[in-house]
Amino acid sequence: MACRISELVIEAADAERLAAFWSEVLGYVEIGRESDGSIEIGPPGTGFGGPQPTIVLSPNSEPRTGNVRLHIDVSATDRDQDAELERLLALGARPADVGQTGNESWRVLADPEGNVFCLLRDRIQPL
């Protein structure tokens, strides 16, 4: 037996804003809300336990210290990397510098709260 990643939990100063951003990036929808203000988003029609993990945006007003040691990689499903980069920037992502050389095949970005993620070059098939 093995485990599967079922949820990713991201602490957020503004859970609403981050839920909206990641929903647009991934084509996710809101699945539910908790009394603590957490918002769960996931693939439409499947939700928790489906083939992709859901994301829980959990409110946290504490200032973040240092970089998070885990990041998300995304790949476009229906366009090339340059077109997807433009879309992500229009949604509120911004370029991030983590010491890359400029020769990488991926683009390093940050979401509206500064969480780093990478846009990979290769397209993948949609589910």
Side-chain angles (χ1 to χ4, degrees):
M1 278 211 244
C3 290
R4 276 191 340 165
I5 295 173
S6 55
E7 295 177 328
L8 298 173
V9 179
I10 301 172
E11 293 182 348
D14 185 344
E16 287 281 345
R17 181 176 181 207
L18 225 48
F21 173 81
W22 282 107
S23 289
E24 286 294 322
V25 169
L26 300 171
Y28 277 18
V29 296
E30 185 176 311
I31 293 172
R33 292 176 180 248
E34 296 294 326
S35 59
D36 68 354
S38 294
I39 303 169
E40 186 170 15
I41 61 173
T46 57
F48 181 83
Q52 295 177 287
T54 60
I55 297 176
V56 176
L57 293 305
S58 179
N60 185 340
S61 60
E62 306 258 332
R64 186 171 72 191
T65 57
N67 287 331
V68 177
R69 292 186 166 206
L70 175 73
H71 71 267
I72 297 172
D73 287 344
V74 297
S75 298
T77 59
D78 63 349
R79 63 197 74 173
D80 67 21
Q81 185 186 42
D82 289 337
E84 184 63 2
L85 176 62
E86 291 304 314
R87 186 181 81 87
L88 296 177
L89 293 172
L91 291 174
R94 61 185 186 278
D97 183 357
V98 295
Q100 62 269 37
T101 66
N103 295 322
E104 293 83 6
S105 62
W106 59 88
R107 301 298 294 266
V108 182
L109 303 167
D111 72 15
E113 290 199 6
N115 299 304
V116 174
F117 67 101
C118 294
L119 171 61
L120 305 183
R121 179 183 321 174
D122 294 333
R123 278 191 227 177
I124 59 174
Q125 295 296 315
L127 292 177

